[in-house]
C-alpha cells in the first residue's frame, strides 16, 4: 500500500507529535539518556511555544502513561471550576452559556502541574534539562507554521482594540508571525528563566526543584500574575467585558492527580482512556457497539462500514451528552455492558438517523441541557457566526476568538518500553489576553460545562468541565503496544476509532503495525450531536468526508440519508502514533501529513 511516509521502525526510541520541533526536542532528550517521560515534558513545553494557537501552559493536558514495569495510569491535568464559578453567578450576568473566550471561561490551569508531576514521579532529568528547548525557541525564535499567523490575523481587530497585551506579543510592529521568519516570545522565555532560578534556589535535589517550581506556579509570581489577569474586565464572546472567578485559594489548593483508566476489551485488544470527565469513554462505547463476532463487520472502507461507524458514533455521543461529566457519577460499567449495547446496537438501521438518542443505563432516564435539545446549526449558521463547519484538527477561529477544534498531541515510546500519550490543549492565544508579565494567556475550558443545573456536566465549583481531550493507549494480552491520539475537539474519538480499526483489522506490513497506512487512510466525521465549544451547535445527519474517499461510497452514504459534505483532500484528522512489539522489542512511529507539521522521528 502506498503511504505518504514510511512507518518508522527501530529499537532505541520513537516520538510522534503534531510539530516537528517538539518531536525532535523529545528525541534529543532520549538521545541524552532521558526516558519517555522526560522527553514528553520537554516536548510539551516546546508545543506551548511553537503551537500557541493550539495550547499553552495555563491550559490542560490529560496524559496516559504505561511504565515498562507498572500499570497503565491516567494523569489528570484538567483543572476544575473555581469556587466562585457557580451557575447562579453566570445567570446573574445574563448568560445562558459560558462565554467561549475571556476569564469567565477559565478553569484552574492544569497543564503545568501535570507536566511537573510526570517529571517528578516518572522522569529522570532536571527541570532545567527539559525546559531548555522551550526557552531556546521562545528566546531565540522559531519559524512559525502558517496557521499561527492566520489565527492572529483573524483576531487582529480584537487584539488591537481590546486585548492589547496579546498584540504586543503576536503583532510586533503591527505584523503577524509569518512563515520563514523568526518569531520570538521573550516574555515567556523570561518567565521560565525566573521559574528556574527560584526552583534551583531550593537546592540541588531534582525533586526539591520540581516541588519549588510547582509552588512558584500555584502561589508565587506566576500565580499572582494569573490572578491579576483574571481580575481585569475583558471582552469575550458574549460581547461584554467580564472579570473571572479565579482566586488565590483555587490555584494553591489544586494539584494534578493520578487515576485508573477506563478500559474496554475488544478482539484481543484492551483500550485505555481517561474517565467520564473526558469524552474518552465514547471511543470505548463505539467499540462496544460493533457487531460481535468481528467477522460480522462490513468490509473495511465500504459504505456499509462507514455507515455503521457513523451511526454508532451518534449513539455514543448522545450518551456523552446525557451521562458524562464530573458533577455526577458516570454509569460507565452499564454503558459498556453487553446487555445495554445489544439494545443500542438494534437502533442502527440502514438509514441515517437525525435524532439525538441517549440511552437509559440501569433504567435511568437521560436528561439533556435544554440548549442541547434546541440548537441545530447548519453550515450557513456556523459561517454566520464566523466559525467554519469543518476543520482538520486546527482551530477554526471567529473574530472574537471563539474556537471550534483545537489541540496538540504527542506519543513516545523509549528503549526500555515506557510509553506515553498526551493531548495538551487550552490556553490558546485566541482564548484570553496574554498575561503581560508571563507571555501566555489563561484557558477557556469552562465553556464546555452547561449552565443548566442537575446535569453530569453542569458547571460546578471544584469539579472538572468535561473535556474533549482524549489520548489513548492500547494493550495486547495485557501488554502496552500502542499509544495514539489526535487534535480535533469533538472529532478526536471519531478519527481515533477509524485509525485504531484500520490498524486492528488490516494486515500488518514490514513485520509490524502499519501505523502510517492507517493514518493516511481517508477519514471522516459527523456533527450530529451538541458541540463542546461555544456556541454549542449541532448538524443532525451531517457527515464530512475527505475528497479522497471513494465516490461510490459517498453516493451510497447519500442514498442512505446522510447529509454528506465532501471536504478538501487531506483535511480530516491529525493523528500521531507510536507502537512497540513486545515479542521483538521493535518500535514503530507515524505521524499525520495533514496540517503539514506533524512528524515522527526515531531510530
Amino acid at each position: 500500500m502506498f503511504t505518504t511516509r514510511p512507518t518508522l521502525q527501530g529499537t532505541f526510541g520513537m516520538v510522534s507529535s503534531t510539530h516537528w520541533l517538539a518531536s525532535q526536542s523529545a528525541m534529543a532528550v532520549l538521545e541524552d539518556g532521558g526516558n519517555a517521560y522526560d522527553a514528553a515534558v520537554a516536548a510539551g513545553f516546546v508545543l506551548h511555544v511553537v503551537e500557541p494557537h493550539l495550547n499553552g501552559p495555563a491550559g490542560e493536558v490529560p496524559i496516559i502513561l504505561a511504565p515498562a514495569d507498572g500499570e497503565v495510569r491516567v494523569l489528570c491535568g484538567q483543572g476544575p471550576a473555581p469556587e466562585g464559578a457557580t451557575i447562579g453567578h453566570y445567570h446573574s450576568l445574563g448568560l445562558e452559556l459560558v462565554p467561549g473566550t475571556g476569564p469567565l471561561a477559565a478553569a484552574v490551569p492544569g497543564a503545568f502541574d501535570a507536566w511537573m508531576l510526570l517529571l517528578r514521579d516518572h522522569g529522570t532529568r532536571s527541570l532545567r534539562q527539559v525546559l531548555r528547548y522551550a526557552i531556546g525557541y521562545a528566546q531565540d525564535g522559531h519559524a512559525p507554521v502558517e496557521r499561527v499567523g492566520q489565527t492572529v490575523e483573524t483576531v487582529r481587530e480584537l487584539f488591537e482594540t481590546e486585548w492589547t497585551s496579546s498584540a504586543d506579543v503576536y503583532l510586533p510592529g503591527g505584523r503577524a508571525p509569518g512563515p520563514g521568519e523568526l518569531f520570538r516570545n521573550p516574555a515567556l522565555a523570561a518567565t521560565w528563566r525566573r521559574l528556574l532560578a527560584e526552583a534551583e534556589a531550593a537546592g540541588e535535589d531534582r525533586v526539591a526543584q520540581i516541588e519549588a517550581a510547582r509552588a512558584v506556579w500555584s502561589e508565587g509570581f506566576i500565580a499572582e500574575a494569573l490572578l491579576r489577569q483574571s481580575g481585569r474586565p475583558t471582552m469575550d464572546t458574549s460581547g461584554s467585558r467580564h472579570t473571572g472567578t479565579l482566586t488565590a485559594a483555587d490555584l494553591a489548593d489544586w494539584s494534578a492527580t493520578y487515576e485508573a483508566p477506563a478500559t474496554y476489551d475488544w478482539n484481543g485488544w484492551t483500550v485505555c482512556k481517561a474517565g467520564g470527565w473526558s469524552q474518552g469513554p465514547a471511543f470505548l462505547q463505539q467499540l462496544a457497539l460493533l457487531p460481535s463476532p468481528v467477522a460480522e463487520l462490513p468490509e473495511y472502507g465500504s459504505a456499509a462500514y462507514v455507515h455503521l461507524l457513523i451511526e454508532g458514533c451518534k449513539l455514543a455521543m448522545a450518551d456523552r451528552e446525557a451521562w458524562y461529566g464530573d458533577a455526577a457519577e458516570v454509569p460507565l460499567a452499564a454503558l459498556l455492558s453487553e446487555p445495554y449495547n445489544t439494545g443500542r446496537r438494534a437502533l442502527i438501521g440502514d438509514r441515517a438517523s437525525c435524532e439525538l438518542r441517549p440511552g437509559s443505563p440501569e433504567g435511568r432516564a437521560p436528561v439533556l441541557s435544554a440548549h442541547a435539545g434546541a440548537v441545530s446549526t447548519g453550515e450557513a449558521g456556523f459561517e454566520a457566526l464566523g466559525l467554519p463547519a469543518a476543520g482538520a484538527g486546527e482551530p477554526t477561529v471567529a473574530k472574537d476568538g471563539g474556537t471550534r477544534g483545537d489541540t496538540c498531541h504527542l506519543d513516545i515510546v523509549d528503549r526500555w518500553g515506557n510509553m506515553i500519550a498526551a493531548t495538551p490543549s487550552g490556553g490558546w492565544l485566541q482564548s484570553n489576553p496574554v498575561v503581560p508579565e508571563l507571555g501566555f494567556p489563561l484557558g477557556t475550558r469552562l465553556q464546555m460545562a452547561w449552565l443548566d443545573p442537575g446535569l453530569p456536566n453542569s458547571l460546578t465549583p471544584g469539579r472538572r468541565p468535561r473535556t474533549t481531550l482524549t489520548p489513548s493507549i492500547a494493550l495486547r494480552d495485557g501488554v502496552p503496544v500502542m499509544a495514539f491520539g489526535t487534535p480535533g475537539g469533538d472529532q478526536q474519538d471519531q478519527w481515533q476509532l477509524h485509525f485504531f480499526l484500520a490498524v486492528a483489522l488490516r494486515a500488518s506490513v514490514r513485520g509490524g503495525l502499519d501505523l502510517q497506512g492507517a493514518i493516511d487512510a481517508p477519514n471522516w466525521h459527523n456533527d450530529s450531536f451538541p458541540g463542546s465549544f461555544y456556541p454549542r451547535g449541532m448538524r443532525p445527519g451531517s457527515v464530512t468526508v475527505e475528497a479522497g474517499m471513494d465516490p461510490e461510497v459517498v453516493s451510497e452514504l447519500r442514498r442512505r440519508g446522510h447529509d454528506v459534505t465532501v471536504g478538501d483532500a487531506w483535511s480530516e484528522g491529525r493523528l500521531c502514533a507510536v507502537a512497540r512489539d513486545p515479542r521483538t522489542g521493535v518500535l514503530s512511529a507515524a505521524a499525520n501529513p495533514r496540517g503539514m507539521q506533524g512528524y515522527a522521528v526515531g531510530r
Side-chain angles (χ1 to χ4, degrees):
M1 173 184 172
F2 172 79
T3 60
T4 59
R5 306 167 182 173
T7 294
L8 305 185
Q9 294 196 308
T11 57
F12 181 82
M14 290 286 162
V15 180
S16 180
S17 88
T18 48
H19 197 287
W20 63 86
L21 291 179
S23 294
Q24 190 53 48
S25 297
M27 195 66 201
V29 173
L30 294 181
E31 296 282 5
D32 194 41
N35 65 20
Y37 309 119
D38 299 311
V41 176
F45 279 90
V46 169
L47 287 172
H48 297 331
V49 179
V50 299
E51 292 190 323
H53 60 309
L54 299 172
N55 79 136
E60 43 277 328
V61 56
I63 299 168
I64 306 183
L65 56 152
D69 58 353
E71 295 181 339
V72 177
R73 300 291 287 170
V74 172
L75 176 52
C76 174
Q78 173 58 66
E83 284 304 309
T86 64
I87 290 173
H89 175 64
Y90 289 74
H91 284 172
S92 74
L93 298 173
L95 299 172
E96 295 301 320
L97 290 175
V98 177
T101 61
L104 268 183
V108 177
F112 180 88
D113 199 62
W115 290 127
M116 290 300 99
L117 258 64
L118 180 66
L119 184 65
R120 182 195 72 183
D121 298 339
H122 298 278
T124 65
R125 306 287 95 174
S126 70
L127 189 59
R128 180 173 292 276
Q129 287 173 312
V130 296
L131 281 182
R132 65 190 179 105
Y133 306 93
I135 292 173
Y137 288 124
Q139 182 63 48
D140 301 327
H142 64 95
V145 295
E146 186 175 4
R147 186 63 180 165
V148 174
Q150 291 174 345
T151 301
V152 173
E153 287 294 353
T154 301
V155 291
R156 172 185 283 272
E157 182 180 355
L158 177 67
F159 281 13
E160 292 179 334
T161 60
E162 295 282 347
W163 297 8
T164 55
S165 60
S166 297
D168 291 342
V169 173
Y170 291 104
L171 288 167
R175 296 182 67 247
E181 303 173 356
L182 283 180
F183 174 70
R184 299 175 174 86
N185 188 342
L188 178 58
T191 295
W192 296 146
R193 285 199 303 270
R194 181 176 173 185
L195 174 90
L196 277 176
E198 295 191 17
E200 290 173 347
E204 296 184 2
D205 181 74
R206 189 185 76 91
V207 171
Q209 291 179 3
I210 294 169
E211 287 300 306
R214 296 179 68 207
V216 169
W217 177 274
S218 62
E219 299 180 85
F221 80 92
I222 293 178
E224 292 168 357
L226 293 174
L227 292 172
R228 282 193 295 272
Q229 185 62 48
S230 178
R232 293 184 177 111
T234 300
M235 179 64 70
D236 60 37
T237 52
S238 71
S240 299
R241 296 179 183 87
H242 295 111
T243 57
T245 61
L246 200 62
T247 68
D250 293 320
L251 290 171
D253 294 345
W254 183 80
S255 170
T257 54
Y258 293 98
E259 58 189 57
T263 64
Y264 186 75
D265 295 331
W266 180 83
N267 198 35
W269 295 79
T270 299
V271 181
C272 302
K273 303 289 283 186
W277 53 270
S278 77
Q279 74 168 338
F283 183 109
L284 308 181
Q285 284 197 252
Q286 290 175 86
L287 282 179
L289 284 163
L290 294 177
S292 182
V294 175
E296 296 181 7
L297 268 173
E299 179 186 0
Y300 173 86
S302 66
Y305 175 87
V306 176
H307 170 80
L308 177 69
L309 296 190
I310 292 169
E311 295 303 299
C313 176
K314 291 176 185 177
L315 294 174
M317 288 302 202
D319 277 346
R320 184 194 75 165
E321 287 309 306
W323 301 109
Y324 292 17
D326 198 34
E329 183 181 353
V330 180
L332 194 53
L335 291 169
L336 294 175
S337 69
E338 181 54 31
Y340 179 77
N341 283 285
T342 297
R344 298 288 278 166
R345 209 175 288 129
L347 297 176
I348 299 176
D350 292 332
R351 300 283 299 173
S353 170
C354 291
E355 299 177 65
L356 190 65
R357 299 181 290 178
S360 301
E362 301 169 333
R364 296 161 57 184
V367 181
L368 298 172
S369 163
H371 184 89
V375 174
S376 174
T377 307
E379 294 276 358
F382 277 123
E383 290 174 3
L385 291 163
L387 293 163
E394 292 275 7
T396 50
V397 181
K399 291 182 179 181
D400 60 5
T403 300
R404 295 184 68 239
D406 62 282
T407 307
C408 311
H409 187 79
L410 64 89
D411 301 302
I412 304 174
V413 59
D414 64 28
R415 62 189 184 272
W416 300 288
N418 299 303
M419 190 175 290
I420 184 170
T423 310
S425 185
W428 315 304
L429 68 86
Q430 67 274 16
S431 65
N432 257 300
V434 165
V435 184
E437 305 95 321
L438 303 178
F440 60 84
L442 287 162
T444 55
R445 193 59 56 172
L446 290 189
Q447 68 179 289
M448 298 190 170
W450 293 111
L451 295 182
D452 308 55
L455 303 175
N457 192 32
S458 295
L459 181 66
T460 306
R463 295 290 184 171
R464 296 165 289 191
R466 190 191 67 220
T467 181
T468 53
L469 308 176
T470 173
S472 305
I473 282 184
L475 291 68
R476 291 281 284 179
D477 301 319
V479 179
V481 297
M482 187 165 64
F484 57 100
T486 179
D490 293 309
Q491 300 159 26
Q492 289 182 33
D493 277 320
Q494 301 185 58
W495 292 334
Q496 289 187 69
L497 179 76
H498 308 160
F499 161 80
F500 173 76
L501 291 176
V503 170
L505 296 174
R506 304 183 75 179
S508 63
V509 297
R510 291 182 293 277
L513 301 176
D514 185 11
L515 303 183
Q516 194 65 52
I519 286 174
D520 288 353
N523 219 326
W524 68 92
H525 80 274
N526 82 90
D527 295 302
S528 295
F529 48 86
S532 295
F533 295 90
Y534 182 92
R536 313 299 298 271
M538 59 186 287
R539 296 170 56 214
S542 73
V543 179
T544 302
V545 305
E546 286 182 315
M549 183 171 281
D550 185 340
E552 293 185 5
V553 172
V554 173
S555 296
E556 175 61 16
L557 291 174
R558 286 175 171 153
R559 190 193 69 79
R560 290 173 180 248
H562 296 281
D563 179 12
V564 180
T565 298
V566 178
D568 295 336
W570 302 105
S571 61
E572 289 283 315
R574 273 178 59 219
L575 280 145
C576 300
V578 300
R580 179 179 184 273
D581 187 334
R583 300 167 301 170
T584 64
V586 171
L587 312 178
S588 304
N592 200 2
R594 300 164 178 88
M596 300 295 287
Q597 64 194 69
Y599 264 89
V601 296
R603 68 174 180 87

